[in-house]
Amino acid sequence: MKVLVRLTFLVLSVLVYSYQATKTGPDWWKSSVIYQIYPRSFKDSDNDGIGDLQGIISKIDYFVELGVDAIWLSPIYKSPMVDAGYDISDYRSIAPEYGNLSDFKELLEAAHKNGLKLILDFVPNHTSNLHEWFNKSVAREEGYEDYYLWNDGYVDDDGVRQPPNNWLSLWSFSGWEWNEQRQQYYFHQFSIQQPDLNYRSEKVRQEMKDILTYWLDIGVDGFRVDAVPHIYEDELLRDEPIVPDSGVDDTNWNYLNHIYTKDQPETFELVYSWRTHLDNYTNTVGGDTRMFMTECSSDMENLVKYYGNENGTVLGAHFTFNFYFLGINENTTAADLQSDITVWYQNLPSIYTFNWLTGNHDNHRVASKVGQSRVDAYNMLISFLDGVTITYMAEEIGQENGEVTCEQGQDPSAIKNCTTFNETTRDFERTPFQWDNSTNAGFNEGAPTWLPVSSKYLETNLQEERLASRSHYHVYTDLVQLKASLSAYNSSYIFVNSLLNNRLLEVQKALDDPHQSTYRLYFNTGNEALTVSLDQNYTVVIPSVNLAYTQGLTDNDLVLNSGDSVIIKVL
Ligand code: NOJ
Ligand code: MG
């Protein structure tokens, strides 16, 4: 009997799992899986050591195989690459090392043909100092004088020129840089080579809208908007207050409380105007929603404001990134996770959509933060919770941080100080994707790569994981399929518990499907095995790689070793 039930379940689950509709319509993004590609490190088609658009095109089948709905490309625009493309010198052309506009159109067409949406990174806060606007502004060319934030500063009692106020760069030291030619300071939130645009200029606002329209006309489906809270600064240039007992020196950004350089009222208005722009575009041109997601490290009150107002009569971003899980480590407890989840359920008005992620190109690899044994649990969590799932490339295979020395380093925020490089660099999470066990992990044909390929590629690579009967990769694709099948229904109720002295996380989801199905996720966050006693029968739907149970029906208690996790269906 048990065998029969098991067989029936297998057949059923194959049916359920093979359901994968392309998401279309106004709500396509609401329970989507968005896959972040870091183009420089994804796939190098011409063996010059740098990933490129043809490389991405050659992997279109892979996104289909993963079952993701959309790909988001970190910046691909022309750039001197001081900050790996987050310093743009021409918003309308493609970096030559990545390809050209016709490669981009080919990629877009291939994506659309395969039911994938394509989202571009949009970097409005700053340009590269090599952008022609900056040159023109430096030269005070008519019409460009106020494209950036310029100021005379003042001469102090010792006759030394000083910046106008105490504002700091996120990457340390004054945010003001003296420009010899113009004989003024300009402001930069990030590197010196990334001057901040002046959004009080109507012309700048219009330029940026035109750039959005340009890419919309080419056919992109949306944008990830960079560094949003930093767009406006206080018009009166007031000094920022010092944080009491910050423990950092006065050149460190955390030394100040950023009440005048972050989350300014005009920034929200600007975000709302972009929403109107995108919605107008969709309404005029037709087609599915053009969406945008904003990158904001802000407090909850402001995060919610970037979505829009309480009742949705004013709308902003479709969602703003949820960075609450970025700080996970091997000691993160069920109670920590419960609190990171419930804070969103408590604060985000129900008209808005959640999103969940554990990593990106600015943060260490999940496997390095939490250890291999917990990788599946975190992929489960971000896909099982309601809303959008965002996966940074190679998290589906549990790729770890690479090894990069300060001499090999590329990250401008870190290489200027080799003594702190290991603590501050973002190069570790940017090493090339590990495709297989061939030369350079299959990233290219063997040319030296812009960041070294991790030596761990022989143990961790996609090909191995595809062949293995159980692997992070298989867990991931199962999760994406399950999410797609469950997203056909509303989940009527979700609750999150931390049990057994905060060691066991339980997330329950009851669906409004014809069977009122209930699914549960369990994750042993602790260091010792524990037993989950269930008084109902249940099926194991997705087990983490090390779990002693495979898919199928059981009525036993569940034993979860440290780091194990599982999604079950309660019967
Ligand atoms: C956030 C991006 O994710 C990061 O990589 C970049 O350095 C800064 N914004 C500046 O654009
Ligand atoms: Mg290349």
Side-chain angles (χ1 to χ4, degrees), residues 83 86 126 171 190 194 224 226 295 361-362 426 430:
D83 188 18
Y86 284 95
H126 46 268
W171 295 351
F190 296 91
Q194 291 165 300
R224 173 269 189 193
D226 184 70
E295 189 225 13
H361 62 293
D362 296 328
R426 301 170 297 173
R430 297 175 176 182

Side-chain angles (χ1 to χ4, degrees), residues 40 43-53 55 96-99 443-444:
R40 243 180 144 62
K43 172 75 188 169
D44 174 16
S45 74
D46 58 357
N47 200 36
D48 66 352
I50 298 171
D52 44 57
L53 296 183
E97 60 265 58
Y98 294 165
F443 171 66
N444 69 7

Side-chain angles (χ1 to χ4, degrees), residues 2 6 531-534 536-538 549 553-559:
K2 237 181 172 165
R6 230 171 246 268
T531 303
V532 183
S533 304
L534 289 148
Q536 294 133 299
N537 278 359
Y538 60 94
Y549 310 82
L553 182 75
T554 172
D555 51 11
N556 299 321
D557 284 348
L558 261 175
V559 178

